[in-house]
Amino acid sequence: MRVKNVHQMYLDFELPSSPTKVVAAYRKKYGAINALLLANPAVLDLVHSDFCRWLSTSEKGRSSGYTSEEILRCLVVMFVEQDSYRDVVVRIENSDFLRSFVGLGFVKPMMDFSFVGKAFAALSAETWHAVNQSLARHAKQKAWISGEKLRTDSTAYEANIHYPTDSSLLWDSFRVLCRTLRRLQKGCPELGLTHRYHDKKVKKLAYYIARNAKSRSKATQRQVKRTYGLLIERVAWIVGISNEVQKRLRHGALLQAPELVLYTPVAERIIDQAHRRIFDGEVVPADEKVYSLFEEHTELLKRGKAGKPIEFGHKVLLAQTGEKFITHYKVMPEREEDKDLLPEALGAHRDLFGAFPGTLATDKGFYESVKQLLDLEKVIDTVSICKKGRRTKAEEEREHGEEFKAGQSFRAGVEGTISVLKRAFKLNRCLFKGFKNFASSVGCAVFCHNLVLLADR
């Protein structure tokens, strides 16, 4: 049985005040976060439900070693301090102040980093969304946020992958399957695997392509194409062995090599797209491509940003009030146009505050048509959305009005929030595996951002 929390007070041997202002501000911030968590028991109820469902406990009925509250507070510290699983364990263990914040006291040992990883994976993206909604309702009840203003914008949250090329993806496929099959060859002699994989030769093929792919020599390009044929042939060969091994292994034995089940179908897609592009001369649509063997959910995002024309990850929508509180967010498994996301953001705002905002400010990406602007102006006093294309004289006057320009000045602030999320809350590049944890990390980052924001009010 997993315990939700323990009402145990620990003695605080820290000095009542510190001569260093930054230390005092640090303690004040965590003190305010502690008060917010205590004032929102619904947050703990939500995460406790997931922990009970997915985190294992002793088969003999012994209670779990750590309460749900301790685990949640550990995750909050990890995102606020931008730590990895290992770093947050070291940070908390070596700080009496943070041990007290987490609830470990001075005797209880710190949890292992692998347990912290399992705990984070146990929380679903839906749970984090509910947690953020609970905090938003609390902030509204306390009149810390208002629904007078709303600004929205989208950003790209990058996946942790290398730049994808056909040769690098083919080599990733070969080396991962080779490593797994070689391990099975030693551990399961009953399979009768006696293959020699020659992985160093395959690596040379991939490296030759990488070095010469942009050569202007026609002879070199012909050799690159022949090398691609050899590389695809070798990867197809090892994929065939992988499929044959999976047929021989029983269901239980497959647990010894989950990589075969996970990566073989992805490797088949990589072979197909490479063959279509290199030998069939086909332009493979971006939505059909695989950009990573390990993060197959990754999308290509073309947002036209200076210095970063192409990004690999997923699109994230953010909606924020005038107090910089993020009331709504959405992680898109498949990219959507900004203009299609606006109704959902407005609906979430109305559900929270009971009415549409008095001022709506977005960039041109959320513009759909003049009819859209007219419909929005029927329920919103100031719609600060620039029109795309040519403007009539009346439309020019509208966009030069004081209220419209004030709305655009307000809209620019969301760029600062996106920057803060990327720099201070781990949303620059996702280091978590799988789309589930990808989406969960956005929810946790938004939650921690809102906690720190309310702590500084």
Side-chain angles (χ1 to χ4, degrees):
M1 182 181 69
R2 184 160 299 280
V3 180
K4 184 189 298 184
N5 60 352
V6 176
H7 300 288
Q8 171 68 49
M9 301 298 292
Y10 296 100
L11 295 176
D12 186 4
F13 294 102
E14 298 287 343
L15 295 174
S17 62
S18 173
T20 308
K21 288 184 179 180
V22 67
V23 176
Y26 184 82
R27 294 178 181 173
K28 181 181 177 182
K29 176 178 72 174
Y30 275 102
I33 292 175
N34 175 64
L36 286 168
L37 293 175
L38 291 176
N40 285 271
V43 169
L44 184 57
D45 293 339
L46 290 165
V47 299
H48 180 65
S49 176
D50 273 12
F51 287 151
C52 288
R53 187 179 301 111
W54 299 112
L55 275 185
S56 61
T57 54
S58 172
E59 295 179 357
K60 298 181 180 179
R62 175 172 49 83
S63 62
S64 57
Y66 298 97
T67 66
S68 296
E69 184 175 21
E70 292 166 354
I71 300 170
L72 173 63
R73 287 171 178 252
C74 180
L75 295 177
V76 168
V77 173
M78 183 175 75
F79 271 76
V80 170
E81 302 296 339
Q82 305 179 72
D83 285 334
S84 64
Y85 293 135
R86 289 175 172 84
D87 291 342
V88 73
V89 167
V90 174
R91 183 186 294 272
I92 294 174
E93 178 63 22
N94 290 314
S95 171
D96 291 339
F97 175 76
L98 288 178
R99 285 180 63 86
S100 177
F101 170 79
V102 172
L104 299 176
F106 299 96
V107 180
K108 194 171 184 178
M110 179 58 191
M111 60 194 76
D112 186 69
F113 74 90
S114 59
F115 178 79
V116 178
K118 292 176 183 176
F120 179 79
L123 293 175
S124 66
E126 293 75 19
T127 297
W128 280 116
H129 191 270
V131 163
N132 279 289
Q133 289 300 305
S134 176
L135 183 62
R137 287 192 295 269
H138 177 76
K140 173 183 173 290
Q141 183 182 2
K142 293 291 185 180
W144 294 334
I145 60 174
S146 66
E148 180 58 30
K149 293 182 178 181
L150 179 69
R151 59 190 180 195
T152 63
D153 201 1
S154 60
T155 186
Y157 183 25
E158 293 188 32
N160 188 32
I161 67 172
H162 62 71
Y163 191 87
T165 61
D166 286 325
S167 59
S168 64
L169 293 175
L170 288 167
W171 166 237
D172 285 342
S173 303
F174 188 91
R175 67 181 178 84
V176 170
L177 294 179
C178 172
R179 180 180 62 202
T180 306
L181 291 171
R182 191 170 278 155
R183 187 173 71 243
L184 282 174
Q185 194 164 307
K186 291 181 180 179
C188 302
E190 65 274 11
L191 292 174
L193 297 176
T194 58
H195 301 88
R196 296 180 64 188
Y197 299 101
H198 302 288
D199 45 318
K200 291 184 179 180
K201 292 182 179 179
V202 178
K203 184 177 181 180
K204 287 182 179 179
L205 296 176
Y207 276 30
Y208 177 84
I209 295 171
R211 287 192 297 266
N212 297 281
K214 292 186 178 181
S215 173
R216 295 182 179 181
S217 169
K218 292 184 178 180
T220 304
Q221 285 300 320
R222 285 194 295 269
Q223 182 59 36
V224 166
K225 190 171 183 178
R226 286 193 292 269
T227 306
Y228 256 121
L230 293 173
L231 181 58
I232 291 174
E233 181 184 334
R234 296 304 296 172
V235 178
W237 171 76
I238 203 168
V239 166
I241 296 174
S242 175
N243 286 324
E244 184 62 30
V245 168
Q246 291 181 61
K247 291 177 183 177
R248 296 183 193 177
L249 287 173
R250 296 179 180 177
H251 179 69
L254 274 176
L255 297 177
Q256 301 175 15
E259 296 92 343
L260 293 183
V261 181
L262 183 62
Y263 295 130
T264 301
V266 185
E268 290 174 342
R269 291 178 60 193
I270 290 172
I271 293 170
D272 177 66
Q273 72 183 26
H275 194 279
R276 288 165 62 188
R277 190 184 73 83
I278 303 299
F279 295 100
D280 298 341
E282 182 180 342
V283 178
V284 183
D287 294 339
E288 297 180 17
K289 287 184 179 179
V290 177
Y291 297 102
S292 173
L293 177 70
F294 311 102
E295 302 292 339
E296 59 176 310
H297 59 83
T298 303
E299 283 193 307
L300 182 146
L301 301 173
K302 225 175 194 179
R303 295 169 52 80
K305 299 291 183 179
K308 229 174 192 183
I310 293 176
E311 296 171 277
F312 298 96
H314 290 282
K315 194 173 178 180
V316 177
L317 172 72
L318 298 172
Q320 195 176 37
T321 66
E323 296 82 12
K324 301 181 181 180
F325 189 95
I326 300 173
T327 55
H328 175 72
Y329 70 93
K330 182 179 181 181
V331 186
M332 284 151 268
E334 296 181 359
R335 62 184 177 277
E336 302 176 36
E337 295 297 327
D338 286 347
K339 60 183 177 63
D340 298 328
L341 300 171
L342 188 57
E344 184 177 346
L346 288 172
H349 186 91
R350 183 179 57 183
D351 292 342
L352 178 61
F353 294 101
F356 287 110
T359 299
L360 171 65
T362 69
D363 60 19
K364 285 184 179 180
F366 291 84
Y367 172 80
E368 182 179 2
S369 64
V370 174
K371 181 180 181 302
Q372 174 209 31
L373 297 181
L374 294 176
D375 290 342
L376 289 173
E377 287 175 349
K378 292 178 182 178
V379 293
I380 299 174
D381 295 335
T382 302
V383 180
S384 185
I385 304 178
C386 293
K387 181 187 175 184
K388 290 182 180 179
R390 295 184 178 181
R391 297 165 178 79
T392 64
K393 185 177 180 181
E395 290 166 347
E396 287 281 358
E397 292 177 356
R398 168 183 171 271
E399 295 188 11
H400 283 83
E402 292 299 324
E403 292 182 352
F404 186 93
K405 289 193 289 186
Q408 284 299 297
S409 297
F410 167 64
R411 184 214 67 80
V414 75
E415 303 289 352
T417 298
I418 291 173
S419 177
V420 168
L421 286 171
K422 290 179 180 291
R423 290 183 293 105
F425 293 98
K426 295 169 70 75
L427 279 196
N428 186 38
R429 178 178 285 255
C430 181
L431 302 180
F432 304 96
K433 282 190 67 66
F435 181 76
K436 172 186 171 295
N437 290 334
F438 187 101
S440 294
S441 65
V442 176
C444 187
V446 169
F447 177 65
C448 292
H449 169 274
N450 287 338
L451 282 177
V452 173
L453 178 73
L454 295 178
D456 290 339
R457 68 186 185 282

